[in-house]
Amino acid sequence: MSLRHAVLGLLSEEPASGYDLMKMFEISLSNVWPATQSQLYGELGKLAEAGLVDVSAEGPRGRKEYAITEEGLAELRRWITEVEPTRVTRSDMLLRVFFLAQVSPDQARAYLRHQAELVRERLENLEGVRGFLREREDNLSVHGRITLEYGLRLGKAQLEWAEWAEGQIR
Amino acid sequence: MSLRHAVLGLLSEEPASGYDLMKMFEISLSNVWPATQSQLYGELGKLAEAGLVDVSAEGPRGRKEYAITEEGLAELRRWITEVEPTRVTRSDMLLRVFFLAQVSPDQARAYLRHQAELVRERLENLEGVRGFLREREDNLSVHGRITLEYGLRLGKAQLEWAEWAEGQIR
DNA sequence: AGGACCATGTAAAGAGTTACATGATTAT
DNA sequence: ATAATCATGTAACTCTTTACATGGTCCT
């Protein structure tokens, strides 16, 4: 149930509407915990019902601004410190590598080369995020940079692996 | 729909029953594409209905052995070479890092230290898999080693990141 | 007036998890 | 005998995705 905590986390910085959250998910959480608009509105409803958030204001166009409650903040902290992260690794990219014997060595190498290219693009994209984050000093940016560094480091490792793997075929 | 292709991939090596596949998923695919027993039997039914696999033999205790069809093999190859891998990264571990400002610096550092420890355990586990794979020369083992190398390299990057990140707090 | 954007919601389908349910065969 | 393992299946629930549906407000 991490979507719930992603929403609580964003609301712990400042109150926001479903629409605002949607934008925040797109900008800052898309690489960590993507969510759709549809999911967001549903979750906000459940969160309000559970008393973890409140409708703090209403605006034009039926806008409802939600604020985290004390209970919600407590739940967020409990989740951060007490709940063990679940390790679910599902990678259809890697699944293909596992079965690469089913295609020709040329196709296999092309596949790995293509993966390397995709990772390069992703790294460029992350460098863009780095630029966006530079100079900003709020909580989310500080920890956003730490999270970003994770993406950068793992991306580089992935790139080196893809290049190495290509050399391993035949 | 990658579960489908994971099953096709395993069946491309040799025919197997749902029970056999279950064991194979546990041993070799648990770090790449985990699946439950329940999912497997459902998928085999759908795969048979779609003509991608056949019941090739029946044994004691209602055992049904499935074999991949030509159509199934074609679909597997198409999926490997033509379908773009989907990049879905969801990490509740990283999500917590993003919101680490909500707990004390001590708690935050403890969290990162704990993550480092978990990665170390995971790396040890992967070294065990490496031992298991050593000397084996079948298709799945060869590509299994390439897949394993991925886990090892990314695990190491993750470990270094966690240690670096701990130093970044305050 | 019209386009861009703000804003919320519902429905249906697909995937994955957990638990339940049942029974046969093999080895000690 | 009985425990371990082989073997298959269903049900209920949660999460995620995609599509549909609707309308208000702001800016030029």
Side-chain angles (χ1 to χ4, degrees):
Chain A
M1 260 204 320
S2 296
L3 172 65
R4 154 159 304 201
H5 299 98
V7 171
L8 287 175
L10 289 176
L11 290 179
S12 74
E13 289 296 314
E14 53 181 355
S17 68
Y19 191 84
D20 295 339
L21 288 170
M22 205 180 90
K23 295 290 172 190
M24 294 163 93
F25 266 86
E26 274 169 29
I27 296 167
S28 56
L29 244 35
S30 61
N31 288 305
V32 175
W33 202 273
T36 59
Q37 173 257 24
S38 179
Q39 259 182 302
L40 245 32
Y41 286 103
E43 193 59 47
L44 281 170
K46 284 181 221 158
L47 240 16
E49 210 185 334
L52 303 179
V53 304
D54 271 343
V55 175
S56 56
E58 305 208 17
R61 284 165 292 205
R63 179 176 208 270
K64 280 185 276 183
E65 193 178 74
Y66 292 88
I68 194 168
T69 61
E70 273 308 312
E71 226 181 314
L73 216 42
E75 168 56 21
L76 175 61
R77 292 190 178 123
R78 186 195 66 79
W79 175 78
I80 294 173
T81 54
E82 291 171 34
V83 182
E84 279 284 292
T86 58
R87 148 157 293 285
V88 239
T89 349
R90 275 202 174 82
S91 165
D92 62 331
M93 180 255 130
L94 224 43
L95 190 57
R96 284 181 181 83
V97 173
F98 210 77
F99 299 129
L100 231 35
Q102 291 305 317
V103 300
S104 73
D106 274 355
Q107 283 177 310
R109 275 187 295 264
Y111 175 76
L112 290 165
R113 226 170 7 248
H114 182 55
Q115 291 320 305
E117 189 46 41
L118 291 179
V119 178
R120 263 181 228 110
E121 280 167 27
R122 184 173 148 72
L123 283 171
E124 268 175 47
N125 179 266
L126 288 180
E127 290 293 351
V129 176
R130 173 180 266 173
F132 179 83
L133 244 44
R134 196 179 305 280
E135 313 297 333
R136 293 175 55 89
E137 280 301 333
D138 52 295
N139 285 336
L140 289 188
S141 300
V142 171
H143 291 88
R145 272 193 290 272
I146 297 181
T147 309
L148 175 67
E149 180 70 20
Y150 178 94
L152 255 14
R153 287 179 183 230
L154 267 75
K156 277 169 204 155
Q158 215 177 318
L159 181 57
E160 284 162 24
W161 167 84
E163 287 167 349
W164 166 87
E166 197 194 326
Q168 292 296 110
I169 305 290
R170 267 291 190 270
Chain B
M1 260 205 319
S2 296
L3 172 63
R4 152 159 305 200
H5 300 98
V7 171
L8 287 175
L10 289 177
L11 290 180
S12 74
E13 289 295 316
E14 52 179 357
S17 68
Y19 191 84
D20 295 338
L21 289 169
M22 203 181 91
K23 296 290 171 189
M24 295 163 93
F25 266 85
E26 274 170 28
I27 296 166
S28 58
L29 244 37
S30 62
N31 289 304
V32 175
W33 203 274
T36 59
Q37 174 259 22
S38 180
Q39 260 182 301
L40 247 30
Y41 285 104
E43 194 59 48
L44 281 170
K46 284 181 220 159
L47 240 16
E49 208 184 335
L52 303 179
V53 305
D54 271 344
V55 175
S56 55
E58 306 208 18
R61 282 166 293 206
R63 179 177 209 271
K64 280 185 276 184
E65 195 178 73
Y66 293 89
I68 194 167
T69 62
E70 272 308 312
E71 227 183 312
L73 215 42
E75 167 57 20
L76 175 62
R77 292 189 179 124
R78 186 195 65 80
W79 175 79
I80 293 173
T81 54
E82 291 171 34
V83 182
E84 279 284 291
T86 58
R87 149 155 295 285
V88 239
T89 348
R90 275 200 175 83
S91 165
D92 61 333
M93 181 255 130
L94 225 42
L95 190 57
R96 284 181 182 82
V97 174
F98 210 77
F99 299 129
L100 231 34
Q102 291 305 318
V103 300
S104 72
D106 275 355
Q107 284 178 309
R109 276 187 294 263
Y111 175 75
L112 290 165
R113 226 171 6 249
H114 182 54
Q115 292 320 305
E117 189 46 42
L118 291 179
V119 178
R120 262 181 228 110
E121 281 168 28
R122 183 172 149 71
L123 283 171
E124 269 175 47
N125 179 266
L126 289 180
E127 289 292 352
V129 176
R130 172 179 267 173
F132 180 82
L133 244 43
R134 195 178 305 281
E135 314 295 333
R136 293 174 55 88
E137 281 302 332
D138 53 296
N139 284 337
L140 290 187
S141 301
V142 171
H143 291 88
R145 272 193 290 272
I146 297 180
T147 310
L148 176 66
E149 181 69 19
Y150 178 95
L152 254 14
R153 285 177 185 230
L154 267 76
K156 277 168 203 155
Q158 214 177 320
L159 181 57
E160 283 162 23
W161 167 83
E163 287 167 350
W164 167 85
E166 197 195 325
Q168 291 296 110
I169 305 290
R170 267 288 194 268

